[in-house]
Amino acid sequence: MEKYDFVIIGSGASGATVAEKLSSNYKVLILEKGQHLSLNEAHKSYVRTSQNKDFGKHGGVDILSGTAVGGTTLLAIANGVRAQEKELKSLGIDLKKELDEVERDLSIKKIPENMLGGRTKLFIEKAKELGYDPIIMPKMIDFKKCKSCGKCNMGCQFQAKNTSLYYIEKSLSKNAELKTNYEATKIRKNGKGFIVEGKENGRHLDIPAKNVILSAGALDTPKILNNSGIKTPKRLFTDIFVTIGGKIESSFKDEIQMACYIPFNDFLISPYYSERILKILNEKNIEVRRDNLFCIMIKIKDDPYGQVSKTYIEKSCTGKDAQRIANGVAIASKILIKSGVEKIVSTEASGAHPGGTAPIGITVDNNFRTEMGFYVCDASILPEAPGAPPVLTLMALGKKLGYNILNST
Ligand SMILES: Cc1cc2nc3c(=O)[nH]c(=O)nc-3n(C[C@H](O)[C@H](O)[C@H](O)COP(=O)(O)OP(=O)(O)OC[C@H]3O[C@@H](n4cnc5c(N)ncnc54)[C@H](O)[C@@H]3O)c2cc1C
């Protein structure tokens, strides 16, 4: 006899949101591989594919993610934009109501003018002189608590950043259960229901459920699907990014990162402070400090060309990706040069928005259901790279699945 109506594997952007919706009417268990960290300890949850054995042999794009309750949202820079709304609508998935709800839940607002830092203002000024029109970034931040430390990607020591922990706390208050340090490995049929196989603190534990929602993120969901007998396509994208920058004759204070951006067809550029650039310049014997560094991130909508296999993750730049990066670098360089940067260096390619490994139309239908009858809801189901911050959309997809299930029963 199953104790749970729904077992949700993964507590990140989509998993936490669907858990919150369903726990109003159902008995829900959330399984999470990581620990329950507070926001100021979130940096402990970082996972990078560059830490993997033989990383260099598998394309060389370093993919960043987070393993903890709340998933990668704990590390997010709090950018909250509507990504892929039109593309998903064309597949019959209208997210308008759900996006509105997430924006309300997480108080998503543009950064107030008086909180824009010196680098952002310089970026806006020089970009405008070149004929571009930067947009102020909407953020999931309580600006009354924010101290503009610029360290959202480490968590938040001021508890100002809104993350999936909001939905986890709401789920728990509605009697959902949460099991941490549980790594799901496989889902199998069990009569009309399912059994989730996995390990809790290293010890095998099977958990029966009437239904299962797999939300382990685009790097882990395909592994569980493959173990369960569902083949997944080699369509991994990551919104590849590089940061370029150098030294200028100014002294900047710390500030909110990616506070504005300029969107283009298949890339965006945004001011972003990078420790890696500081290190590269120091290695070249260019004396630069934290306060006189000026950098711009170029983030592209990359080709869905990569894969998660049993033993490795492979992701490289295609020729088109290289062209997209070059186009972005050309524009960002103009802004840097106009701002007074003489020697520009670049980071290696990374990616922080993995997706596409169980896409709608291939692995799941447009109700996010697999051929075995359980659901997948996370960035894996996005059919193409957003080329923009996806969290808001992934949370809206979680709500959508929640509503669909509530309305069908
Ligand atoms: C540094 C950084 C900054 C970012 N900034 C932004 C931003 O500002 N705005 C934005 O929109 N996006 C941002 N992103 C991207 C965004 O955080 C992710 O795209 C999003 O969180 C992905 O959601 P998800 O539900 O697919 O997976 P996740 O949020 O990664 O959640 C998956 C969860 O499943 C758990 N899990 C994995 N495997 C198992 C298993 N076998 N068993 C149990 N649990 C498992 C994981 O531990 C994790 O908690 C950023 C990413 C990074 C790395």
Side-chain angles (χ1 to χ4, degrees), residues 84-95 360 366 383-384:
Q84 301 237 300
E85 196 178 0
K86 272 191 213 144
E87 291 81 353
L88 289 164
K89 197 169 178 186
S90 72
L91 296 172
I93 302 159
D94 186 349
L95 291 180
I360 297 167
N366 62 1
E384 57 184 77

Side-chain angles (χ1 to χ4, degrees), residues 7-196:
V7 165
I8 299 173
I9 303 171
S11 63
S14 302
T17 322
V18 69
E20 192 269 330
K21 272 274 160 272
L22 293 181
S23 47
S24 306
N25 290 28
Y26 292 106
K27 190 84 195 109
V28 168
L29 171 67
I30 306 162
L31 299 173
E32 170 53 53
K33 181 163 77 166
Q35 314 167 51
H36 206 157
L37 299 172
S38 66
L39 254 187
N40 56 357
E41 307 176 295
H43 56 94
K44 294 182 187 164
S45 70
Y46 261 104
V47 182
R48 291 173 170 270
T49 54
S50 57
Q51 294 160 339
N52 295 349
K53 195 171 156 265
D54 294 335
F55 163 72
K57 289 187 191 160
H58 298 297
V61 176
D62 189 11
I63 309 174
L64 284 59
S65 59
T67 288
V69 174
T72 312
T73 70
L74 263 54
L75 305 171
I77 308 173
N79 301 326
V81 302
R82 294 183 173 218
Q84 301 237 300
E85 196 178 0
K86 272 191 213 144
E87 291 81 353
L88 289 164
K89 197 169 178 186
S90 72
L91 296 172
I93 302 159
D94 186 349
L95 291 180
K96 164 105 186 41
K97 178 175 92 171
E98 292 78 8
L99 286 165
D100 287 347
E101 259 187 46
V102 178
E103 283 174 348
R104 271 198 307 275
D105 291 347
L106 302 188
S107 308
I108 298 180
K109 288 190 193 75
K110 290 195 172 179
I111 304 173
E113 178 81 32
N114 64 354
M115 289 186 77
L116 297 178
R119 293 181 175 95
T120 305
K121 286 181 180 159
L122 182 64
F123 176 93
I124 293 173
E125 179 192 322
K126 298 301 168 192
K128 282 190 170 166
E129 283 172 21
L130 288 164
Y132 301 108
D133 200 8
I135 299 169
I136 303 298
M137 187 71 85
K139 293 274 182 181
M140 320 179 172
I141 291 180
D142 179 344
F143 294 111
K144 286 195 202 100
K145 293 185 186 166
C146 176
K147 301 274 185 267
S148 299
C149 69
K151 295 194 182 74
C152 286
N153 62 334
M154 291 289 141
C156 181
Q157 42 172 322
F158 309 106
Q159 309 296 321
K161 185 172 78 173
N162 292 323
T163 67
S164 285
L165 290 176
Y166 168 86
Y167 292 114
I168 291 294
E169 279 155 23
K170 285 197 90 179
S171 309
L172 299 181
S173 72
K174 294 183 197 174
N175 293 325
E177 291 177 35
L178 170 66
K179 199 181 262 304
T180 55
N181 299 305
Y182 181 96
E183 181 171 3
T185 48
K186 182 177 173 179
I187 302 162
R188 64 181 153 85
K189 283 285 266 178
N190 179 39
K192 284 186 182 168
F194 296 92
I195 287 186
V196 176

Side-chain angles (χ1 to χ4, degrees), residues 254-320:
D254 290 337
E255 62 183 270
I256 300 175
Q257 299 264 41
M258 297 186 82
C260 68
Y261 68 109
I262 312 176
F264 296 87
N265 230 359
D266 46 14
F267 63 90
L268 63 77
I269 64 171
S270 176
Y272 182 76
Y273 173 83
S274 163
E275 287 285 340
R276 180 76 188 120
I277 294 281
L278 190 77
K279 197 163 172 239
I280 294 170
L281 287 168
N282 284 333
E283 281 165 4
K284 291 184 184 295
N285 294 322
I286 298 172
E287 248 187 63
V288 61
R289 301 178 310 268
R290 191 176 167 85
D291 66 292
N292 64 2
L293 191 67
F294 185 42
C295 314
I296 299 177
M297 179 189 281
I298 296 102
K299 184 168 290 198
I300 67 160
K301 183 180 171 73
D302 57 329
D303 286 331
Y305 185 77
Q307 63 162 314
V308 177
S309 91
K310 223 178 180 137
T311 50
Y312 60 86
I313 294 170
E314 180 138 317
K315 180 67 199 169
S316 49
C317 284
T318 63
K320 280 188 187 159

